[in-house]
Amino acid sequence: MDETSLCSLTGCVNSVIFQNEENGYTVLRLDAETGEQVTVVGCLPFAVPGEGLILTGQWTNHQTHGRQFKAESAERYMPTDENAIYIFLSSGEIRGVGPATARAIVNAFGADSLRVIEEEPERLAELKSVTPKRARDISDQLRKRGSVRRLMDFFAEKGLRMEYALRLYKTFGNDAQTALLNNPYIIADDYYGAPFKEADTLALGLGFEADCPERLEAAALHELSYNASNGHCFMPREKLVATAAQLISVSPELVEASLTRQIESGEIITDEFSGLEACYLARLYRAERFVAERIKMLADNRFIESASADRLIEEAEREMKISLAAEQKAAVKAAATSGVLALTGGPGTGKTTTVRAILALFDRMGLETLLAAPTGRAAKRMSELCSREAATIHRLLETGYDPDLGALVFRHNEDEPLKADAVILDECSMIDIELMQALLAALPVRCRLVLVGDADQLPSVGPGNVFSDIIRSGRVNTVRLEQIFRQAAESRIVRNAHLINKGEMPLLRDNKGDFFMLCRKTADSAVDTIIELCAERLPKNMGIDPSQIQVLSPTRMYETGTRSLNRRLQDALNPRAENKPEKSFGELCFRLGDRVMQIRNNYDIVWRKTTGETGAGIFNGDVGHICELDTRAQYLTVDFDDRRANYTFDMLPELELAYAMTVHKAQGSEYRAVVLSLFRGAKSLMSRSVLYTAVTRARELLIIVGDDETVGAMVANYLPRRRYSALRLRMLE
């Protein structure tokens, strides 16, 4: 038999070895009709012993556990013979029915037991051990299983992923299938995760017309969501109509009429700026308005007098045994006297010293100060530099995901604000409009806010250009640190970063100090050099462990992009070994010890620290290493800086190798050594801001490997950050 061909397998569930309640991933033993007992793996939510399954999938040969059946779809049927019904009822799946009650039911009603439970629950009360209330409860639970089974069967028939069905059921319960049939486009919502094309194919297959209201509305919402993922808070109405019409091949007039109805219902909100009609998703419209109003409100707060601030600054300088430069003193004074301070500057300009001075000043003033950053890596670095605990914004707000609302929820908000007199927020260029909204909502009305970052770095991955817009509005106190301090000026990384930022060519000729250019004219030679640097030259010649080296590239594509580099680096740094378990997944292979990165926000993943502390949520960009990989139980464990999280194998699309990562993913992080791969890529990625951001990720050593002409082209390629955002205009109102 061809092990890769699809085939069918029918049988009865003997036992469930493992089941993930969040995503339905299951490992079970099946008594097949052929008489053999086989291991089945796949997304089979709510599978229980005694249940019948008709599976479609393929046979695989596991290197440790042998032959297994990987199910891609499943049809379910309830058990029909008395023994299977007893196994099903006694499995513990139906609350209140144990082995004794199951035996009593089967003895009384035989093969008709399940029909009696579902259709005539009052007959259960004829048994001595079952009250009428308990009979109704047992019946309700069985009917619930029936509705789940029908939903799963429908998804299997349509070739849809079971994960969508599980999330749909969490939201709509027994009405999930009805909700889907009424509007198949709901599964294209971010929470359910289906691509628009998949939802569209389902809808058209169910008989929805090409110009039906559901399709027209879904196309507009999809375009707004897609553009939000590319950084835009809104789309001009004319552009939205054109792109949505093109997406589903209908006339713009149809989309225009549908859009008007969505605006009237409040599903999409419009606003006008300089003659431009902007169309927003309602959540982004609310976020942008809220951020503008709350920043203005906080900025209007005034605190101590200037003379008192000067005295406190002098005391802080004596305590820290430093002498602040004029720009730094201005920043510290602004932090003391005003409600909001934006502090920006390039590398070597003293941002860290200024932040530490502000923190010392706030301590002298008796303020309760919280430190935060958008990512775990940025928060950890802030903690080390300030000798004070810093948290991610999500952790600070105690973030979770409510599937009933289909949205993020925060324990700390306007109703339960943070207990803080001041908040210092680092790496603000990474913060998108919705995360800023969540933070601002949790600040007390008289809380000071210090926003710190490099406004010349790449903007946030999410929608908005928040930090830059706040600065450009002129509405808040802003201090730009420009003086490069003597010790920093000796660093070629710092000097070249500032040259790049000014549009000048960095100094590439003299390979010395902490900045090197290794010119390679072919992609193959560039890749070979990168592997040699990480595996041999830097560890042996400079004592830099490979775990402290990060390879960066502007692009994922081509031989010198992150996809190809990760495979080569994995082979060099963590090669295959007989005693080292691994799991192949598509083009990737995950191996014990691999460096990996989470590539989407997942608010449901539970993590545990060695101290016993637990929490939930692993976020886009979090990096860790695989510390456990169990091929039998079909899961692996990733250690994210002492937060250990389990991933079943069907969750592996959320991870990718991280020996090499894109410059965008490296935002907010700093590495002891950076090897920067520069060869070719899309023009939008080979830009000055990408090069500047990459160079400023290196703390002690930067090595560029590639073509020096590419460096020159990136310096010359200045692309203004054109994002559809109205935050600056709203702050000027």
Side-chain angles (χ1 to χ4, degrees):
M1 178 192 295
D2 180 4
E3 294 287 297
T4 62
S5 62
L6 288 178
C7 56
S8 295
L9 178 68
T10 301
C12 179
V13 178
N14 176 281
S15 60
V16 177
I17 299 169
F18 173 83
Q19 191 160 75
N20 185 310
E21 293 182 1
E22 293 298 333
N23 55 39
Y25 186 79
T26 303
V27 181
L28 58 82
R29 299 288 288 172
L30 189 81
D31 291 329
E33 285 185 344
T34 57
E36 63 179 327
Q37 191 177 87
V38 299
T39 300
V40 176
V41 299
C43 186
L44 299 165
F46 306 116
V48 292
E51 182 178 26
L53 296 176
I54 303 173
L55 304 169
T56 301
Q58 55 186 244
W59 290 99
T60 61
N61 231 332
H62 192 278
Q63 59 183 3
T64 304
H65 307 299
R67 197 162 176 254
Q68 297 180 340
F69 190 83
K70 184 177 180 182
E72 296 188 7
S73 63
E75 294 179 41
R76 298 161 178 256
Y77 58 93
M78 299 300 283
T80 54
D81 68 82
E82 293 186 14
N83 185 56
I85 291 172
Y86 170 74
I87 292 172
F88 171 76
L89 290 176
S90 63
S91 66
E93 179 66 19
I94 296 181
R95 188 177 61 255
V97 179
T101 303
R103 177 55 62 196
I105 292 173
V106 172
N107 286 344
F109 305 111
D112 203 29
S113 295
L114 297 182
R115 189 198 64 77
V116 169
I117 293 173
E118 191 165 354
E119 298 176 10
E120 301 177 80
E122 66 278 1
R123 292 182 60 188
L124 289 181
E126 298 171 7
L127 304 175
K128 291 182 180 180
S129 60
V130 181
T131 64
K133 180 179 181 302
R134 188 180 174 197
R136 288 192 300 272
D137 183 50
I138 292 170
S139 181
D140 288 344
Q141 290 183 69
L142 189 64
R143 280 197 292 269
K144 173 185 173 182
R145 283 201 57 83
S147 120
V148 170
R149 187 178 69 252
R150 287 187 291 275
L151 180 66
M152 300 303 169
D153 288 346
F154 178 81
F155 269 66
E157 177 191 343
K158 300 301 179 184
L160 297 169
R161 291 177 61 183
M162 289 296 173
E163 290 90 336
Y164 310 154
L166 195 61
R167 292 170 190 154
L168 202 67
Y169 189 82
K170 284 183 179 180
T171 305
F172 295 101
N174 292 341
D175 298 323
Q177 188 168 346
T178 301
L180 182 65
L181 291 172
N182 287 338
N183 185 0
Y185 293 98
I186 59 177
I187 61 170
D189 181 82
D190 288 343
Y191 174 63
Y192 305 112
F196 176 83
K197 186 176 181 181
E198 200 167 329
D200 195 39
T201 300
L202 173 63
L204 295 176
L206 290 172
F208 282 74
E209 299 292 338
D211 60 354
C212 68
E214 293 86 355
R215 190 169 191 246
L216 296 169
E217 292 169 7
L221 292 173
H222 168 75
E223 288 297 333
L224 287 174
S225 294
Y226 176 78
N227 278 272
S229 68
N230 287 332
H232 302 291
C233 290
F234 67 83
M235 286 183 71
R237 181 166 184 158
E238 184 178 343
K239 184 174 182 180
L240 174 59
V241 168
T243 55
Q246 183 179 20
L247 174 70
I248 56 175
S249 301
V250 299
S251 71
E253 290 76 18
L254 286 172
V255 175
E256 180 70 53
S258 173
L259 181 58
T260 298
R261 292 192 294 271
Q262 288 176 285
I263 292 168
E264 289 172 351
S265 71
E267 189 174 30
I268 291 174
I269 299 177
T270 61
D271 214 339
E272 288 196 11
F273 308 102
S274 305
L276 176 73
E277 186 174 7
C279 293
Y280 287 84
L281 290 170
R283 60 183 173 85
L284 294 181
Y285 176 79
R286 290 192 295 266
E288 193 175 82
R289 283 191 61 112
F290 183 89
V291 170
E293 294 303 321
R294 188 54 62 97
I295 288 283
K296 287 191 290 185
M297 184 198 76
L298 292 173
D300 287 339
N301 287 335
R302 290 293 177 267
F303 295 98
I304 64 174
E305 298 296 325
S306 294
S308 300
D310 289 335
R311 177 177 53 78
L312 288 169
I313 291 170
E314 289 176 4
E315 292 174 0
E317 283 182 302
R318 284 197 296 272
E319 180 183 318
M320 296 175 66
K321 298 178 181 178
I322 60 171
S323 178
L324 297 172
E327 292 173 339
Q328 294 174 308
K329 282 186 179 179
V332 178
K333 188 171 183 177
T337 58
S338 57
V340 181
L341 166 68
L343 175 65
T344 186
T349 57
K351 288 197 302 295
T352 299
T353 300
T354 306
V355 168
R356 291 175 57 219
I358 291 171
L359 186 57
L361 176 74
F362 285 171
D363 286 346
R364 296 191 73 82
M365 296 169 66
L367 304 181
E368 179 69 30
T369 305
L370 300 177
L371 307 182
T375 68
R377 286 171 289 164
K380 183 179 180 182
R381 191 183 70 179
M382 193 181 190
S383 298
E384 293 167 350
L385 294 174
C386 295
S387 301
R388 183 82 62 89
E389 182 182 1
T392 64
I393 298 173
H394 290 94
R395 185 180 172 196
L396 191 71
L397 301 179
E398 298 184 45
T399 309
Y401 194 92
D402 187 334
D404 294 329
L405 297 175
L408 277 176
V409 291
F410 305 95
R411 181 188 165 195
H412 293 290
N413 49 40
E414 288 180 283
D415 296 326
E416 190 175 344
L418 294 164
K419 294 179 180 178
D421 302 306
V423 171
I424 302 177
L425 194 58
D426 200 10
E427 295 292 349
C428 287
S429 63
M430 296 181 67
I431 301 174
D432 64 42
I433 195 72
E434 290 184 285
L435 191 54
M436 183 60 82
Q437 175 196 23
L439 177 71
L440 293 173
L443 297 187
V445 294
R446 291 287 291 173
C447 184
R448 292 172 169 84
L449 177 63
V450 179
L451 304 171
V452 185
D454 187 343
D456 295 315
Q457 285 185 22
L458 293 168
S460 61
V461 174
N465 200 5
V466 177
F467 190 47
S468 178
D469 282 352
I470 289 172
I471 290 173
R472 291 188 304 115
S473 74
R475 191 65 177 74
V476 305
N477 253 332
T478 300
V479 176
R480 181 180 287 273
L481 302 177
E482 295 181 330
Q483 178 185 343
I484 303 175
F485 289 91
R486 181 177 61 81
Q487 185 176 355
E490 296 173 359
S491 164
R492 283 165 53 85
I493 292 175
V494 171
R495 289 165 59 196
N496 281 331
H498 284 275
L499 288 172
I500 292 167
N501 202 29
K502 291 188 291 186
E504 299 177 20
M505 192 69 178
L507 306 173
L508 302 178
R509 291 188 177 180
D510 297 327
N511 278 340
K512 59 183 180 181
D514 56 7
F515 189 106
F516 294 82
M517 174 76 202
L518 302 182
C519 192
R520 299 292 183 268
K521 293 299 183 181
T522 67
D524 287 344
S525 62
V527 172
D528 289 342
T529 299
I530 290 169
I531 303 304
E532 184 185 6
L533 284 167
C534 296
E536 299 179 22
R537 289 168 62 177
L538 295 183
K540 292 179 181 178
N541 299 339
M542 301 190 69
I544 302 177
D545 189 88
S547 64
Q548 298 176 307
I549 304 168
Q550 184 61 57
V551 176
L552 300 180
S553 171
T555 180
R556 295 171 59 86
M557 308 301 289
Y558 311 113
E559 306 96 312
T560 52
T562 59
R563 283 181 182 170
S564 176
L565 285 171
N566 267 316
R567 288 192 289 268
R568 290 287 305 275
L569 287 163
Q570 181 190 44
D571 290 341
L573 301 176
N574 189 28
R576 181 175 279 113
E578 188 175 336
N579 62 346
K580 192 182 295 182
E582 60 181 45
K583 167 63 179 176
S584 295
F585 192 86
E587 296 180 354
L588 297 177
C589 174
F590 293 99
R591 195 170 293 148
L592 183 67
D594 275 338
R595 189 189 309 176
V596 293
M597 175 169 56
Q598 176 80 11
I599 58 173
R600 63 180 289 267
N601 290 340
N602 188 323
Y603 308 98
D604 296 327
I605 296 181
V606 175
W607 50 260
R608 179 182 295 275
K609 289 190 173 184
T610 52
T611 59
E613 178 188 352
T614 61
I618 301 294
F619 302 104
N620 187 3
D622 285 352
V623 174
H625 71 277
I626 298 174
C627 59
E628 184 179 355
L629 199 157
D630 190 326
T631 54
R632 182 172 182 79
Q634 305 275 300
Y635 78 93
L636 56 81
T637 303
V638 182
D639 189 326
F640 296 97
D641 289 330
D642 195 34
R643 291 176 303 146
R644 294 195 167 193
N646 290 339
Y647 289 74
T648 52
F649 283 173
D650 68 313
M651 296 169 65
L652 294 182
E654 299 192 8
L655 294 174
E656 64 180 28
L657 296 174
Y659 298 101
M661 69 175 68
T662 63
V663 177
H664 284 81
K665 289 289 188 182
Q667 282 179 267
S669 299
E670 191 176 69
Y671 310 98
R672 182 180 176 188
V674 168
V675 177
L676 178 58
S677 171
L678 291 184
F679 209 77
R680 62 172 174 160
K683 186 176 180 181
S684 60
L685 296 175
M686 309 302 283
S687 68
R688 184 189 304 173
S689 59
V690 170
L691 179 59
Y692 174 75
T693 302
V695 169
T696 54
R697 298 310 89 207
R699 184 172 69 248
E700 295 180 18
L701 178 66
L702 176 79
I703 302 176
I704 299 177
V705 180
D707 190 348
D708 52 358
E709 292 181 5
T710 300
V711 177
M714 292 181 74
V715 172
N717 184 22
Y718 175 65
L719 297 174
R721 298 169 190 171
R722 295 191 178 96
R723 288 189 166 190
Y724 290 124
S725 163
L727 178 61
R728 184 180 70 86
L729 296 175
R730 294 188 191 281
M731 292 185 64
L732 291 173
E733 290 176 352

